[in-house]
Amino acid sequence: MDDADYRYKLSVEKHKVTLVVWDIIIIGVALFSIWVIPLRIGINKNLLGGAYDYLDLLTWFIYVFDLFVNMRTTYLDAQGHEVVESSKIVRNYISSLRFVVDLLSLVNLPNLMIKNMPDKVLVVFNMFGLLKMQRYFRARRLINSVSSCPIYSG
């Protein structure tokens, strides 16, 4: 395998079924975050009891993995060509506002990692968690992607 094949093999193609499934999972996890984080901040910090700590940890790891998936996902350039070169994909994602928001949303460390912090500090960490809501808006991109791709249309 030459260097070029290796670079492209690590890419996640924009219109593959696995990426669509991953986006659906991320949208589901984001919906969980959209409902639970505001409720825990404003109404009941003990919502879901001890189970929340483990769900929080699981969703945090899913978001971290998603950051790496986004660094590998191909994109369309200004001419409409799919960019598959790894270095260009990473550069494009890291220079985007989406990366900044994705990274800041990870400041909301799972409660199991910051258990002994004062409540006021936990609220600030949870506020960063609200940035995870932007992943829900991936639904629009997913619908556009599926509807415009000949693989999925009848």
Side-chain angles (χ1 to χ4, degrees), residues 22 25-34 36-37 48 51-67 105-106 108-111 113 126 129 132 135:
W22 178 251
I25 290 168
I26 287 297
I27 291 166
V29 172
L31 280 171
F32 170 80
S33 297
I34 286 170
V36 173
I37 291 173
L48 299 176
Y52 175 78
D53 291 341
Y54 296 101
L55 288 170
D56 189 32
L57 186 64
L58 175 65
T59 60
W60 189 80
F61 278 118
I62 289 171
Y63 287 131
V64 169
F65 185 72
D66 185 53
L67 195 76
S105 74
L106 294 176
N108 176 32
L109 296 170
N111 286 351
M113 291 182 175
N126 282 326
K132 293 174 183 171
R135 286 177 170 91

Side-chain angles (χ1 to χ4, degrees), residues 37-45 107-109 111 114 117-130:
I37 291 173
L39 288 173
R40 284 186 60 93
I41 291 172
I43 298 172
N44 182 0
K45 73 176 187 172
V107 170
N108 176 32
L109 296 170
N111 286 351
I114 55 173
M117 295 289 240
D119 284 347
K120 289 182 180 184
V121 174
L122 290 175
V123 167
V124 172
F125 277 118
N126 282 326
M127 297 291 264
F128 277 105
L130 292 173

Side-chain angles (χ1 to χ4, degrees), residues 14 74-84 88-89 92:
K14 185 175 174 52
T74 62
Y75 67 95
L76 300 178
D77 65 12
Q79 291 78 34
H81 299 109
E82 189 170 25
V83 175
V84 296
K88 288 182 181 179
I89 294 170
N92 181 65

